[in-house]
Amino acid sequence: MKKTILLVCVAFVLGSCSNGDDNFRNPYLLDINFQFLVDMSFPPYNQLNFLSSPIYINGPNYGNGGVIIMKTGVDSYRAFDASDPNHIPSDCSIMIIGDGKVNCECEGNSYYLATGQPISEGLEYPLLEYRVVDNGNGTLTVSN
């Protein structure tokens, strides 16, 4: 009897779990597969050797509107899509880097660059974050 109750409870818990992707999928941004290497010895990317000195990288298949990368700790980096996640992409939806935050010129939406969380009230989605791997040789691999 105890095994039956335990089995039913486990089945119920496993059946009610989800991976959460459906709850957090942003309808405004495409899921673009990409991977690129950033060599921090190259002058445009040298800022990444210093804390809180973000850079913007744009190119074909670099996210929806390019990628903003920032060093947040000793060996810690964060990368976010540069397109505002709370409205349909347009000519003005690429985020502008400010002092510790990014801003959208379209609607004035603001986000903390260290966390990707909205500063502005009433925004549903945080910045879309990408994976950053410190390769240990002065290069980073950024991908989704």
PDB file of all heavy atoms in Angstrom, residues 13-25 31:
ATOM      1  N   VAL A  13       3.835  14.290  -9.193  1.00  0.00           N
ATOM      2  CA  VAL A  13       4.843  15.355  -9.183  1.00  0.00           C
ATOM      3  C   VAL A  13       5.533  15.451 -10.532  1.00  0.00           C
ATOM      4  O   VAL A  13       5.698  16.532 -11.095  1.00  0.00           O
ATOM      5  CB  VAL A  13       5.870  15.129  -8.049  1.00  0.00           C
ATOM      6  CG1 VAL A  13       7.064  16.064  -8.202  1.00  0.00           C
ATOM      7  CG2 VAL A  13       5.218  15.326  -6.686  1.00  0.00           C
ATOM      8  N   LEU A  14       5.960  14.325 -11.079  1.00  0.00           N
ATOM      9  CA  LEU A  14       6.637  14.336 -12.374  1.00  0.00           C
ATOM     10  C   LEU A  14       5.713  14.774 -13.496  1.00  0.00           C
ATOM     11  O   LEU A  14       6.135  15.471 -14.423  1.00  0.00           O
ATOM     12  CB  LEU A  14       7.221  12.963 -12.678  1.00  0.00           C
ATOM     13  CG  LEU A  14       8.392  12.522 -11.800  1.00  0.00           C
ATOM     14  CD1 LEU A  14       8.817  11.101 -12.163  1.00  0.00           C
ATOM     15  CD2 LEU A  14       9.546  13.482 -11.912  1.00  0.00           C
ATOM     16  N   GLY A  15       4.470  14.402 -13.428  1.00  0.00           N
ATOM     17  CA  GLY A  15       3.510  14.788 -14.464  1.00  0.00           C
ATOM     18  C   GLY A  15       3.153  16.259 -14.432  1.00  0.00           C
ATOM     19  O   GLY A  15       2.763  16.839 -15.438  1.00  0.00           O
ATOM     20  N   SER A  16       3.295  16.888 -13.274  1.00  0.00           N
ATOM     21  CA  SER A  16       2.925  18.302 -13.173  1.00  0.00           C
ATOM     22  C   SER A  16       4.094  19.230 -13.434  1.00  0.00           C
ATOM     23  O   SER A  16       3.929  20.440 -13.479  1.00  0.00           O
ATOM     24  CB  SER A  16       2.331  18.594 -11.791  1.00  0.00           C
ATOM     25  OG  SER A  16       3.299  18.378 -10.787  1.00  0.00           O
ATOM     26  N   CYS A  17       5.294  18.686 -13.609  1.00  0.00           N
ATOM     27  CA  CYS A  17       6.476  19.505 -13.868  1.00  0.00           C
ATOM     28  C   CYS A  17       6.561  19.837 -15.352  1.00  0.00           C
ATOM     29  O   CYS A  17       6.144  19.068 -16.199  1.00  0.00           O
ATOM     30  CB  CYS A  17       7.747  18.766 -13.467  1.00  0.00           C
ATOM     31  SG  CYS A  17       7.907  18.537 -11.696  1.00  0.00           S
ATOM     32  N   SER A  18       7.129  20.999 -15.624  1.00  0.00           N
ATOM     33  CA  SER A  18       7.434  21.361 -17.005  1.00  0.00           C
ATOM     34  C   SER A  18       8.801  22.001 -17.016  1.00  0.00           C
ATOM     35  O   SER A  18       9.336  22.387 -15.986  1.00  0.00           O
ATOM     36  CB  SER A  18       6.388  22.328 -17.574  1.00  0.00           C
ATOM     37  OG  SER A  18       6.540  23.606 -17.013  1.00  0.00           O
ATOM     38  N   ASN A  19       9.369  22.148 -18.183  1.00  0.00           N
ATOM     39  CA  ASN A  19      10.698  22.751 -18.261  1.00  0.00           C
ATOM     40  C   ASN A  19      10.638  24.261 -18.136  1.00  0.00           C
ATOM     41  O   ASN A  19      11.653  24.919 -18.068  1.00  0.00           O
ATOM     42  CB  ASN A  19      11.409  22.335 -19.550  1.00  0.00           C
ATOM     43  CG  ASN A  19      10.688  22.806 -20.790  1.00  0.00           C
ATOM     44  OD1 ASN A  19       9.760  23.601 -20.726  1.00  0.00           O
ATOM     45  ND2 ASN A  19      11.122  22.306 -21.929  1.00  0.00           N
ATOM     46  N   GLY A  20       9.461  24.846 -18.126  1.00  0.00           N
ATOM     47  CA  GLY A  20       9.309  26.279 -17.919  1.00  0.00           C
ATOM     48  C   GLY A  20       9.475  27.115 -19.174  1.00  0.00           C
ATOM     49  O   GLY A  20       9.225  28.305 -19.158  1.00  0.00           O
ATOM     50  N   ASP A  21       9.936  26.516 -20.275  1.00  0.00           N
ATOM     51  CA  ASP A  21      10.164  27.289 -21.487  1.00  0.00           C
ATOM     52  C   ASP A  21       8.894  27.953 -21.995  1.00  0.00           C
ATOM     53  O   ASP A  21       8.930  29.063 -22.506  1.00  0.00           O
ATOM     54  CB  ASP A  21      10.753  26.412 -22.591  1.00  0.00           C
ATOM     55  CG  ASP A  21      12.183  26.006 -22.288  1.00  0.00           C
ATOM     56  OD1 ASP A  21      12.800  26.646 -21.410  1.00  0.00           O
ATOM     57  OD2 ASP A  21      12.670  25.056 -22.912  1.00  0.00           O
ATOM     58  N   ASP A  22       7.773  27.271 -21.882  1.00  0.00           N
ATOM     59  CA  ASP A  22       6.524  27.830 -22.377  1.00  0.00           C
ATOM     60  C   ASP A  22       6.117  29.073 -21.597  1.00  0.00           C
ATOM     61  O   ASP A  22       5.518  29.988 -22.138  1.00  0.00           O
ATOM     62  CB  ASP A  22       5.405  26.793 -22.295  1.00  0.00           C
ATOM     63  CG  ASP A  22       5.659  25.620 -23.222  1.00  0.00           C
ATOM     64  OD1 ASP A  22       6.404  25.793 -24.209  1.00  0.00           O
ATOM     65  OD2 ASP A  22       5.132  24.536 -22.948  1.00  0.00           O
ATOM     66  N   ASN A  23       6.447  29.106 -20.312  1.00  0.00           N
ATOM     67  CA  ASN A  23       6.061  30.231 -19.472  1.00  0.00           C
ATOM     68  C   ASN A  23       6.905  31.471 -19.732  1.00  0.00           C
ATOM     69  O   ASN A  23       6.464  32.576 -19.483  1.00  0.00           O
ATOM     70  CB  ASN A  23       6.175  29.848 -17.994  1.00  0.00           C
ATOM     71  CG  ASN A  23       5.213  28.747 -17.622  1.00  0.00           C
ATOM     72  OD1 ASN A  23       4.176  28.601 -18.253  1.00  0.00           O
ATOM     73  ND2 ASN A  23       5.571  27.968 -16.624  1.00  0.00           N
ATOM     74  N   PHE A  24       8.141  31.293 -20.206  1.00  0.00           N
ATOM     75  CA  PHE A  24       9.048  32.423 -20.322  1.00  0.00           C
ATOM     76  C   PHE A  24       9.441  32.730 -21.762  1.00  0.00           C
ATOM     77  O   PHE A  24      10.294  33.567 -21.985  1.00  0.00           O
ATOM     78  CB  PHE A  24      10.299  32.162 -19.481  1.00  0.00           C
ATOM     79  CG  PHE A  24       9.980  32.059 -18.017  1.00  0.00           C
ATOM     80  CD1 PHE A  24      10.006  30.833 -17.385  1.00  0.00           C
ATOM     81  CD2 PHE A  24       9.622  33.166 -17.293  1.00  0.00           C
ATOM     82  CE1 PHE A  24       9.706  30.727 -16.046  1.00  0.00           C
ATOM     83  CE2 PHE A  24       9.314  33.072 -15.953  1.00  0.00           C
ATOM     84  CZ  PHE A  24       9.357  31.852 -15.327  1.00  0.00           C
ATOM     85  N   ARG A  25       8.879  32.081 -22.711  1.00  0.00           N
ATOM     86  CA  ARG A  25       9.209  32.327 -24.113  1.00  0.00           C
ATOM     87  C   ARG A  25       8.716  33.697 -24.521  1.00  0.00           C
ATOM     88  O   ARG A  25       7.545  34.023 -24.400  1.00  0.00           O
ATOM     89  CB  ARG A  25       8.594  31.243 -25.002  1.00  0.00           C
ATOM     90  CG  ARG A  25       8.852  31.423 -26.464  1.00  0.00           C
ATOM     91  CD  ARG A  25      10.329  31.171 -26.797  1.00  0.00           C
ATOM     92  NE  ARG A  25      10.577  31.563 -28.149  1.00  0.00           N
ATOM     93  CZ  ARG A  25      11.339  32.586 -28.506  1.00  0.00           C
ATOM     94  NH1 ARG A  25      11.965  33.300 -27.617  1.00  0.00           N
ATOM     95  NH2 ARG A  25      11.498  32.876 -29.763  1.00  0.00           N
ATOM     96  N   ASP A  31      14.312  32.971 -31.670  1.00  0.00           N
ATOM     97  CA  ASP A  31      15.322  32.102 -31.088  1.00  0.00           C
ATOM     98  C   ASP A  31      16.339  31.796 -32.181  1.00  0.00           C
ATOM     99  O   ASP A  31      16.195  30.826 -32.927  1.00  0.00           O
ATOM    100  CB  ASP A  31      14.674  30.829 -30.553  1.00  0.00           C
ATOM    101  CG  ASP A  31      15.639  29.973 -29.778  1.00  0.00           C
ATOM    102  OD1 ASP A  31      16.709  30.474 -29.379  1.00  0.00           O
ATOM    103  OD2 ASP A  31      15.324  28.791 -29.560  1.00  0.00           O
TER     104      ASP A  31
END
